[in-house]
Amino acid sequence: MSGRAQLMWDEAVTGYDFGRDHPMDPVRLALTRRLVDAFGLDKDVDVVAAKPAGDSTLRLVHREDYVEAVKAASADPDAADGAYGLGTMDDPAFAGMHEVSALIAGQSVGAAEAVWAGDALHAVNFSGGLHHAMPGAASGFCIYNDASLAIARLLELGAERVAYVDVDVHHGDGVQAAFWEDPRVLTISLHEHPRTLFPQTGWPEETGAGKGEGSAVNVALPAGTGDAGWLRAFHAVVPELIADFRPQVLVTQHGADTHFEDPLAHLAVSLDAQRAVQVACHELAHEYADGKWVALGGGGYAVVEVVPRSWTHLVAIAAGREISPEAVIPEGWRQEAFARTRELGPQRMTDGRWPVVYADWESGYDPADRLDQAVLATRRAVFPLRGLLA
C-alpha cells in the first residue's frame, strides 16, 4: 500500500456553477486548490484526475430516469421545469451540468477505488460531499450523490463494512436514504437540528429499517452550538460506534458550513474545531480501518474566509503534513483571493481558538442542558440497537 495520499482534482470541477447569485460559488474550490499549492502540499500528495462516473456507475445509486433527466436539463437548461428537482431555485439547470456532476462523482469513486486497492492510504476530494442528492432527484445544491456512489463502489468491490461520518451543518439525508436498509453501511450525521434548518430531516429517531435498523445515526444539534458542544457531541457518539462497527473503510464528509461565519446556517463552530474533527477522523481511520480513509468536502458558503482554510487543513492532515494553526497564509494567495472576489482574505490558518477545549462525555452529563439532551436522544435511539449501553 502506498503511504502517500491522493488529492483528487480536475480543474474542470470548477464548472459546477449554478450561476452568479447562487451561494455555492465554485471559487471556493479554486481558492482551496490554490491554497493547497501555496503551502506546498501538492508535493506531499499524488494529484490525480479520475475519469467521470459513467452511466453504470451512476446507476449504483441513481435511477436511470433521473440520470436521463439530468442529461436533458444539461443539454437544454431552459426546458428544466422543476421535475426531478432540476430547474429550481436551489438547483437551477445549467449547460454541462451532467458532465461536471459526473466528473465530481468520478473523483469520489476514484478516491474510493484507490484506497480500497491500496494505491493510496488516504484520498481527498474536496469538490465532493454532495450529500443531498437522492436516487431520483436533485436536492440542496446536489445533482449526483458522490458520497453514496463512492460507498456503493466500495460495496461492489467487496467491502463488507463501510462507515460514513458527516459533519456538515446539514443532515446527510441522501446518503442515509441510499443505505437505509443496508447493514453494511453505518451512516452517522452531526447537523443542526431539523427544526431550524434544511432539509428538516435527521431526527435521532431515524435509525434505519429492516436489516439496516440501527445503522443510521443522527445527532441533531441545537442552533447556536459552538466549539465545545460540537466536539463534545462528536466524541460522545462517533468513536464508540466506529469502535463497535470496525469499518474496513472510513468515508467522511467535511462540510465547512458549521462555521460561525457561514451565511446559511446557525451553528457557531470555528475553523479550529473543524480541524480538530478532521484530526479525529484521521485517527479513527488508523485505529479501526487500517488507515483507509476517503475524505470529502461538502457545504460551505463563506467562500474566502472559511472554506479554503478548512479544506487545506483536511488535505494537510491526509498528507501527513499538518499545518500549524498559527501558520501565516502566503500573501500571494491573499492577493489572488482579493482579485477574484474583492474580499480580504484571512491572515492565519486559525480563528484563534486552538487548542479547542471540551468536556468529555465520560465526565458526566447534565440532563437539563440542550446539547446533552441532543446527545442523549441519539444514544438512547441507536446504541441499544447495536448492543451498546446508552
Side-chain angles (χ1 to χ4, degrees), residues 12-104:
V13 299
T14 59
Y16 193 81
D17 188 352
F18 290 112
R20 189 178 65 179
D21 297 324
H22 196 281
M24 188 175 266
D25 188 337
V27 75
R28 70 198 192 120
L29 302 179
L31 289 177
T32 301
R33 182 70 177 90
R34 303 301 177 267
L35 191 57
V36 165
D37 287 353
F39 277 104
L41 294 172
D42 53 320
K43 301 178 180 64
D44 297 289
V45 297
D46 296 323
V47 180
V48 176
K51 63 183 181 180
D55 286 5
S56 62
T57 297
L58 293 172
R59 287 199 296 268
L60 291 174
V61 168
H62 294 290
R63 297 200 319 249
E64 184 174 2
D65 60 315
Y66 173 62
V67 174
E68 293 305 313
V70 174
K71 290 180 180 178
S74 182
D76 185 7
D78 292 335
D81 59 2
Y84 295 96
L86 302 168
T88 63
M89 185 176 295
D90 275 1
D91 298 284
F94 60 92
M97 180 172 63
H98 164 74
E99 289 76 11
V100 70
S101 299
L103 180 63
I104 290 172

Side-chain angles (χ1 to χ4, degrees), residues 16 18 22-24 89-92 130 132-133 138-143 170 198 264 299 301:
Y16 193 81
F18 290 112
H22 196 281
M24 188 175 266
M89 185 176 295
D90 275 1
D91 298 284
L130 304 178
H132 294 307
S139 178
F141 313 163
C142 305
I143 306 302
H170 301 92
F198 174 90
L264 298 190
Y301 309 100

